[in-house]
Amino acid sequence: MASEARRATPADTELDPGLFDGEAQQSAAWLAWSDRAAIDGRIEALFGETLPRLEAERGSDGRPSLDDRFSAGAFDWVVSQIDAAVLDENGRYIAENSYFADQFITYIGEWMVRRVEGVWFNSPGNGVPIFDGFGPAIGFRWSEESANDLLVSLFMMAVEADDAPYAYFVDLLYGRALEFAEERDQPDLKAELFA
């Protein structure tokens, strides 16, 4: 997949109608964060360091095969680990865990890029409290509703909710992936989601 297909250009106004900031797609901080190698590096840190540490602390019950890091089963298991990675003993998000939050946000967004043809774009007003000056978001060129997901906003709603963050991201997965599977007639993806 070409990098242009993975990351928005200033002309991609349909990704966030009325709010899209074309200039923000060219900001140095955003281009550095959304670079393919940087994204791959944060995902490698998640799978090579963070998740093994959490497994050592919590055990590996329910862990699927991670041969395909972008399977529906892997997504489901990874997001079930968010609370242990970023919440304190009182169940509150703490800024010291932004390093781990960044890894999870990167993985969730990249799952959407790889599995449901999402496109990374910068929504600079939607990065706080994890990022300064840019806000990772995913848009969907295929969606007639011009839907998008502001990842930091979703992440913070999930981790600050009374329930575990897990359900928010599973709902996101199933909502976007099922819409995509139906739109693009992909019965294999639909079957994977319900396996």
Side-chain angles (χ1 to χ4, degrees), residues 97-146:
N97 288 336
S98 289
Y99 172 76
F100 303 116
D102 186 6
Q103 293 172 16
F104 283 99
I105 287 169
T106 300
Y107 173 76
I108 291 163
E110 188 65 10
W111 196 97
M112 304 304 262
V113 168
R114 293 183 186 210
R115 296 305 306 273
V116 296
E117 294 181 12
V119 179
W120 285 106
F121 74 94
N122 182 12
S123 181
N126 293 291
V128 175
I130 298 170
F131 305 106
D132 185 23
F134 65 91
I138 298 293
F140 304 94
R141 291 182 176 124
W142 53 264
S143 174
E144 291 181 18
E145 298 175 1
S146 299

Side-chain angles (χ1 to χ4, degrees), residues 156-176:
M156 294 311 296
M157 283 190 315
V159 299
E160 291 176 350
D162 292 334
D163 300 326
Y166 168 77
Y168 279 80
F169 294 107
V170 170
D171 286 349
L172 173 67
L173 163 74
Y174 283 84
R176 292 289 183 231

